[in-house]
Amino acid sequence: MTVNNLNAIEVAALDKWYGSFHVLKSIDLNVATGERIVVCGPSGSGKSTLIRCINRLEEHQRGNISVNGIPLGDSVKNLDAIRREVGMVFQHFNLFPHLTVKENCALPQILARGKRRRDAEEMAMHFLGKVRIPEQADKYPGQLSGGQQQRVAIARALCMTPKIMLFDEPTSALDPEMVKEVLDTMVTLAEEGMTMIVVTHEMGFARRVADRVVFMEAGQVIEINEPAAFFDAPEQESTRRFLANIMH
Amino acid sequence: MTVFDVAPTVAHIEPSAPPKPPHKPLLQLFFGDLIASVLTVSTGFLLILMIPALNWAVLDAVWATDDPSTCRDGGACWAFIAAKFRFIIFGVYPPDEQWRPLLVMGLILAMILASLSPRLWGQRLIAAWIACVAAMLTLMWGGVLGMAPVPTSSWGGLPVTLLLALLSLGLGFPFAVFLALGRRSSLPIPRMLSLMTIELVRGLPLVGLLFVASILLPLLLPAGWSIDKLGRTLAALTVFAAAYLAEVIRGGLQGVPAGQIEAAKALGIPGWKAVWHIVLPQALQKVIPPLTNTAIVMVKNTSLVLIVGVFDMLSAARVAATDPVWSAPYVESYVFVALIYFLICFGISNYSRWLEIRVQSRSYR
Ligand SMILES: Nc1ncnc2c1ncn2[C@@H]1O[C@H](COP(=O)(O)OP(=O)(O)O)[C@@H](O)[C@H]1O
Ligand SMILES: [Mg+2]
């Protein structure tokens, strides 16, 4: 496998504190290009913080992160380059409420990449078609359902042609009947070979899509395993307890 | 037999519309409960009290007269307003050149109408405004294109009021944005500077600020420097508007969730573009009512410039009323000027309501 020579994401000995609170404790995680990782763990265990460190929405204090070989440091140039490679989808969508759906997808391309409006809008319509809501293009986010908004958020991220996608609990703010439409979109993306890190408690999705599942607790990675092994024969006692809790 | 055979029973159901609220009988509307009755009775009293004022303003009023000295004997002397109309509107601007301020007011009106729809807001509109303001000032000053030069000391009336209000708000706005962003900055020096500027200006009365600008500033400037009095007054109004606008805008900035900036960062949008295109529009939408309030207050604040001898519309009306030929028609002058202020402020207020409804219609939650 030559693809794996270059890891898409390398996290080595990562430590982070919020003030005096040690939120990430010496995390090591390599993600191969094309690999799909699902991260789970109890609330407050540091899952969001971990993936937010990857595109520097949070700053870490110790250890190294690199994305497609670009080291994340104090260099603004590197940070820009990394944010070009990495798209992110948030729990609460974070769409721009004052812009239409189409503008939400087109404006970032214009502002960040200097694209011409026509090209940006064409790209926007292409990806809105991919998430199957091109007919909503002229509405405002507040006029859509949660599931539709999250699909717009995915389209908006894809418009920037990222090579890696980070998802932070993309379905946990949704009503149950809307979870599937968002997960289906993510499955399609996975099937097309996108490198993905997905923080989620949707274990069906993890089983079906993940190459590896990461379990975190109290700022540490407790267990990393392939889904079959992870769900059917977890190695760690705390993993077993967590799975028992969320599966009832 | 198909399932459609069932349809007729379904069709019997009346299409349901929401029930109309029943019409309240008039009596109940006016005397339905204690509060309604009290309001009705006191409004009635007020109306009765206003009958003399109505007599004065309309029934006994003189609309045209040959004898200015007896014009006010019965009621209001509106003939005075008719005679002094040009003076109150244009002040001491040379009468032969008054087409120039008239054109300026036309330009202002046209630009305001063109700027009403938020659809057109953008860099191009800002550029158009800058060009138009330059054209307006050129028209007022003259000295080019065969127009006789008119010094700012001869400017007066409504154009001065409009220009002062427009320019102090327009120039104050970008300052206010910087002050508001500065006050929320994580860097200590911009934060302290913004905080001090805002608090200092808000701590001073506008009259004091106008005196400082018109009397102290010339003394403080090095010899040979001079800034026109109208310019100094405008500077004072601008600083004042900026401080108040800054606090309003800061309130709006606080209402924009952190997730908006995070999304912009994750998409790779450069910081200042994210502020301009993502954060500011949302912040301003949230504070339309207080922004309107500040705009209205500033329109009326421009009347204070009469204290330092700038000839705005209120000054013009005062001076007009001192004409000895007429029998001191101060009340008519002030009522007329008040009416013009009211129309401007009422217009701003209605516009802001329309804007707000437009913003709300973007979400049905
Ligand atoms: N900005 C912050 N300042 C201080 N503590 C924070 C901040 N953000 C998160 N935390 C804390 O860090 C811990 C991990 O948070 P998070 O990464 O959001 O957990 P998860 O996503 O696994 O639920 C939590 O205990 C949370 O309270
Ligand atoms: Mg989280």
Side-chain angles (χ1 to χ4, degrees):
Chain A
M1 289 256 284
T2 48
V3 203
N4 286 354
N5 284 348
L6 183 66
N7 278 323
I9 298 173
E10 294 184 356
V11 175
L14 184 75
D15 276 289
K16 174 167 176 61
W17 287 263
Y18 283 122
S20 61
F21 175 56
H22 201 171
V23 55
L24 295 178
K25 297 168 189 162
S26 150
I27 305 271
D28 290 292
L29 179 67
N30 289 343
V31 180
T33 300
E35 198 177 16
R36 275 88 57 165
I37 303 283
V38 162
V39 180
C40 60
S43 171
S45 55
K47 309 179 295 291
S48 300
T49 307
L50 172 61
I51 65 167
R52 287 158 61 87
C53 280
I54 293 172
N55 63 352
R56 220 351 99 117
L57 291 183
E58 301 288 353
E59 216 167 311
H60 62 273
Q61 280 92 20
R62 234 174 24 210
N64 294 303
I65 298 177
S66 69
V67 175
N68 284 342
I70 310 163
L72 177 66
D74 290 328
S75 150
V76 177
K77 203 171 124 252
N78 284 6
L79 179 57
D80 283 347
I82 285 176
R83 285 185 177 160
R84 258 170 197 267
E85 309 274 305
V86 178
M88 189 167 211
V89 173
F90 300 85
Q91 181 175 2
H92 297 288
F93 331 135
N94 296 2
L95 291 175
F96 305 133
H98 62 302
L99 301 176
T100 63
V101 163
K102 197 205 290 178
E103 276 284 293
N104 261 279
C105 297
L107 189 66
Q109 305 174 56
I110 297 169
L111 297 180
R113 302 283 164 81
K115 280 222 207 159
R116 287 196 324 219
R117 175 163 292 275
R118 257 195 51 195
D119 299 342
E121 285 184 353
E122 202 171 300
M123 184 80 121
M125 289 314 295
H126 170 72
F127 281 107
L128 285 173
K130 264 197 82 162
V131 300
R132 299 185 312 281
I133 36 176
E135 73 283 356
Q136 310 286 354
D138 293 320
K139 287 200 182 156
Y140 286 90
Q143 298 167 330
L144 304 187
S145 73
Q148 290 173 320
Q149 290 191 56
Q150 194 59 294
R151 284 188 282 149
V152 173
I154 294 173
R156 179 177 72 174
L158 292 177
C159 279
M160 309 305 283
T161 57
K163 301 203 181 67
I164 299 164
M165 286 285 284
L166 308 175
F167 293 83
D168 190 359
E169 305 208 26
T171 57
S172 55
L174 298 179
D175 292 335
E177 76 271 20
M178 295 169 186
V179 170
K180 186 172 176 300
E181 65 188 60
V182 171
L183 289 181
D184 285 348
T185 311
M186 292 165 61
V187 169
T188 314
L189 207 56
E191 282 164 356
E192 289 169 0
M194 176 69 77
T195 309
M196 295 162 67
I197 300 186
V198 183
V199 175
T200 185
H201 291 156
E202 293 294 334
M203 290 306 146
F205 175 83
R207 238 181 226 280
R208 179 164 163 208
V209 172
D211 295 309
R212 286 187 294 161
V213 182
V214 175
F215 174 66
M216 284 181 73
E217 193 178 60
Q220 286 172 305
V221 171
I222 304 292
E223 179 165 355
I224 304 184
N225 224 329
E226 288 171 8
F230 182 88
F231 290 112
D232 301 332
E235 286 163 11
Q236 303 293 326
E237 176 54 33
S238 53
T239 315
R240 233 165 285 153
R241 237 180 299 125
F242 173 75
L243 288 176
N245 267 339
I246 62 165
M247 307 284 201
H248 320 295
Chain B
M1 283 281 245
T2 69
V3 281
F4 293 110
D5 285 358
V6 191
T9 54
V10 179
H12 282 302
I13 297 171
E14 297 272 322
S16 72
K20 286 209 180 86
H23 264 298
K24 274 192 178 177
L26 274 187
L27 193 68
Q28 206 193 335
L29 199 61
F30 285 109
F31 296 99
D33 56 23
L34 188 65
I35 296 177
S37 317
V38 169
L39 283 176
T40 304
V41 172
S42 47
T43 310
F45 263 115
L46 266 179
L47 286 176
I48 291 170
L49 286 177
M50 277 170 64
I51 288 177
L54 188 72
N55 272 340
W56 176 83
V58 183
L59 299 180
D60 299 338
V62 178
W63 301 89
T65 182
D66 301 324
D67 181 8
S69 58
T70 61
C71 176
R72 305 189 76 224
D73 290 353
C77 174
W78 299 124
F80 162 79
I81 299 294
K84 295 287 186 183
F85 185 78
R86 265 182 91 160
F87 185 79
I88 295 176
I89 297 295
F90 294 114
V92 290
Y93 206 88
D96 286 346
E97 305 287 338
Q98 280 177 5
W99 60 271
R100 281 152 54 181
L102 185 66
L103 193 58
V104 166
M105 289 196 289
L107 269 177
I108 292 177
L109 189 66
M111 280 307 289
I112 286 176
L113 288 179
S115 315
L116 289 181
S117 165
R119 223 179 283 276
L120 298 174
W121 294 357
Q123 281 156 359
R124 242 177 274 172
L125 191 67
I126 294 177
W129 266 106
I130 292 173
C132 256
V133 166
M136 290 176 206
L137 294 179
T138 312
L139 272 169
M140 292 296 285
W141 258 306
V144 291
L145 301 171
M147 293 185 291
V150 178
T152 56
S153 53
S154 304
W155 299 10
L158 186 56
V160 165
T161 294
L162 290 178
L163 281 175
L164 282 177
L166 202 65
L167 291 180
S168 63
L169 285 167
L171 297 173
F173 196 83
F175 281 118
V177 170
F178 279 112
L179 286 174
L181 290 172
R183 191 159 176 181
R184 280 171 57 81
S185 163
S186 53
L187 307 169
I189 292 178
R191 196 171 58 230
M192 284 309 294
L193 282 178
S194 306
L195 184 79
M196 275 162 50
T197 313
I198 293 171
E199 293 306 337
L200 187 71
V201 175
R202 287 204 310 171
L204 290 173
L206 178 56
V207 175
L209 217 54
L210 285 170
F211 272 125
V212 169
S214 69
I215 297 164
L216 274 180
L217 208 58
L219 300 179
L220 296 177
L221 283 178
W225 279 58
S226 83
I227 311 175
D228 177 277
K229 193 207 272 175
L230 191 63
R232 293 193 306 260
T233 315
L234 176 61
L237 286 171
T238 302
V239 170
F240 191 79
Y244 279 87
L245 287 173
E247 284 298 278
V248 171
I249 295 171
R250 187 170 70 97
L253 290 174
Q254 275 168 346
V256 179
Q260 294 289 304
I261 271 288
E262 282 174 4
K265 276 187 187 167
L267 289 161
I269 301 174
W272 61 272
K273 285 189 187 173
V275 168
W276 178 254
H277 291 275
I278 309 293
V279 178
L280 260 187
Q282 293 183 53
L284 296 181
Q285 278 178 10
K286 286 177 202 294
V287 291
I288 292 173
L291 275 181
T292 313
N293 200 33
T294 311
I296 289 177
V297 167
M298 281 313 292
V299 168
K300 292 182 297 184
N301 272 350
T302 58
S303 61
L304 286 176
V305 300
L306 112 170
I307 289 179
V308 294
V310 169
F311 210 67
D312 75 324
M313 182 173 54
L314 187 61
S315 313
R318 263 171 70 96
V319 170
T322 56
D323 186 344
V325 174
W326 298 83
S327 45
Y330 284 101
V331 180
E332 289 84 344
S333 283
Y334 289 143
V335 167
F336 177 66
V337 169
L339 190 70
I340 295 183
Y341 275 114
F342 177 79
L343 287 179
I344 296 172
C345 297
F346 190 60
I348 297 175
S349 170
N350 272 312
Y351 172 60
S352 87
R353 210 160 13 195
W354 174 80
L355 257 191
E356 241 184 304
I357 291 169
R358 239 190 80 107
V359 168
Q360 278 161 5
S361 72
R362 287 177 184 174
S363 134
Y364 22 82
R365 280 183 294 169

